Amino acid sequence: METAVEIPANVEAQKLARKKAEKIALENNKLHKRLCRLVGQAIGDFNMIEDGDKVMVCLSGGKDSYALLDILMTLRERAPIHFDIVAVNLDQKQPNFPPEILPAYLTELGVAFHIENQDTYSIVKRLIPEGKTTCSLCSRLRRGILYRVADELGANKIALGHHRDDILETFFLNMFFGGKLKGMPAKLQSDDGKHIVIRPMAYVKEEDTQRYAEVKGFPIIPCDLCGSQENLQRKQIKGLMREWDKKFPGRVESIFSALSNVAPSHLMDPKLFGFKDLKADGVANPMGDIAFDEEPCSTPTTFGTIPLQQG
């Protein structure tokens, strides 16, 4: 008669811990592959990076810009073309900003980098009344400095870490509060006309960059060192999108897809479509009223209940 062999509790616990670790490693690897695929897809769709480019990656110390630099460095090793990367951080002399973190991280990473020291914080505090949002002026000052630095470094592409959620939030902000159908493009010409600004993370969800930052252990620098709080209107939009994601799965993805599937003839901007010159020519038009013969979807169209208020 065989006697059952009792497995020590600590051995069983080790097995469970090993399986859990293997599962986490597998999920982390999937996340890395997904980010590389989505960033690579965006680069290809918009021809963001070409052979011989020098890409200036703007590194703020936040999760998104860290993820952007990390993924671009991975793709550079795999790409069939050659391009250079230089990481740039603008130290705006905000109180309690830790100036040693990024240089130490970038040195260890082995990537070329430049730290630009400019006291824009004092300018903003002098010009913006206490309690008001400083982000707009701060962004304009930062943009001008980064264009100059790109010139000095010989970079022809400027890469920003904005992701899919940033793009959608900007779209809704412009629509709800600015009366414009305007978003945050994946690729555009800089204000001075000398550079191309790219957003390789355009297809990446924010939740993925958050998790990736945790997996990689990026040395995150808080974004509120200047004391400015996030714009109230942007907070409302974030809340609205979270509610949609929870109540209506797929809605946010559908809206994002719509940004690249535009029919100017079915909007109302005479600058985009020649409504004034439109005449009946007897030729069937697939983009005519037939476009409304079928309902686009059968799902409920009730939007979120979060009020959108000015202020």
Side-chain angles (χ1 to χ4, degrees):
M1 182 175 177
E2 295 184 2
T3 307
V5 178
E6 184 177 345
I7 301 176
N10 63 328
V11 174
E12 192 65 31
Q14 289 175 2
K15 285 184 178 180
L16 291 174
R18 187 164 56 249
K19 285 184 178 180
K20 183 178 180 180
E22 290 172 354
K23 182 179 179 181
I24 291 174
L26 179 62
E27 290 301 316
N28 292 345
N29 186 50
K30 286 182 179 179
L31 174 62
H32 182 251
K33 286 184 176 181
R34 181 163 68 251
L35 290 179
C36 287
R37 175 177 56 81
L38 291 172
V39 171
Q41 182 181 344
I43 290 173
D45 286 351
F46 294 93
N47 193 29
M48 292 184 185
I49 300 176
E50 301 170 88
D51 190 44
D53 278 348
K54 186 169 186 179
V55 183
M56 185 177 96
V57 180
C58 298
L59 195 65
S60 66
K63 66 183 190 315
D64 305 321
S65 59
Y66 274 124
L68 172 62
L69 177 61
D70 186 273
I71 298 301
L72 283 182
M73 290 183 68
T74 298
L75 294 180
R76 181 180 59 175
E77 299 303 314
R78 304 173 180 175
I81 62 172
H82 171 79
F83 64 94
D84 293 316
I85 292 175
V86 56
V88 170
N89 169 253
L90 173 58
D91 183 347
Q92 299 175 269
K93 302 306 175 186
Q94 297 165 330
N96 302 316
F97 181 83
E100 71 286 349
I101 287 182
L102 286 172
Y105 172 78
L106 294 169
T107 299
E108 183 178 354
L109 200 61
V111 64
F113 70 92
H114 171 75
I115 306 296
E116 180 70 14
N117 293 284
Q118 295 288 335
D119 187 4
T120 61
Y121 173 78
S122 296
I123 298 173
V124 170
K125 296 302 287 184
R126 186 175 73 249
L127 297 178
I128 302 295
E130 192 68 31
K132 296 292 184 179
T133 301
T134 62
C135 300
S136 178
L137 176 58
C138 185
S139 295
R140 289 199 299 274
L141 293 171
R142 183 169 63 244
R143 187 161 61 242
I145 293 169
L146 291 174
Y147 289 166
R148 174 181 57 76
V149 172
D151 270 340
E152 295 172 355
L153 296 176
N156 62 320
K157 300 286 176 67
I158 300 174
L160 305 178
H162 298 118
H163 45 65
R164 185 205 69 171
D165 298 66
D166 289 323
I167 292 172
L168 280 172
E169 288 165 16
T170 300
F171 171 73
F172 286 125
L173 281 168
N174 280 316
M175 183 168 63
F176 292 150
F177 303 110
K180 295 179 182 178
L181 280 180
K182 177 183 176 183
M184 185 184 280
K187 180 181 180 182
L188 76 156
Q189 188 181 68
S190 61
D191 294 349
D192 60 9
K194 297 179 181 180
H195 311 92
I196 293 296
V197 178
I198 58 175
R199 295 182 170 97
M201 305 255 285
Y203 295 159
V204 176
K205 297 179 181 179
E206 183 175 17
E207 64 185 55
D208 279 349
T209 65
Q210 178 66 53
R211 186 173 153 229
Y212 193 66
E214 294 168 358
V215 169
K216 300 289 289 188
F218 295 139
I220 303 297
I221 298 174
C223 63
D224 59 353
L225 294 176
C226 60
S228 178
Q229 298 300 310
E230 187 176 39
N231 184 286
L232 177 60
Q233 294 171 345
R234 187 171 287 275
K235 280 187 175 181
Q236 292 179 11
I237 297 300
K238 280 182 179 290
L240 187 64
M241 288 174 56
R242 279 197 299 269
E243 183 180 2
W244 284 347
D245 244 351
K246 183 178 180 181
K247 292 185 177 180
F248 311 105
R251 173 174 290 177
V252 172
E253 284 77 7
S254 180
I255 296 171
F256 185 73
S257 295
L259 294 181
S260 57
N261 189 19
V262 180
S265 63
H266 287 62
L267 297 175
M268 296 180 65
D269 190 340
K271 297 187 294 296
L272 295 180
F273 187 80
F275 293 104
K276 291 183 178 179
D277 299 324
L278 189 63
K279 301 183 186 302
D281 57 10
V283 179
N285 182 357
M287 287 304 296
D289 284 344
I290 192 173
F292 297 104
D293 283 353
E294 296 182 5
E295 289 295 325
C297 63
S298 58
T299 54
T301 56
T302 304
F303 284 70
T305 58
I306 294 178
L308 295 170
Q309 301 172 347
Q310 295 288 345

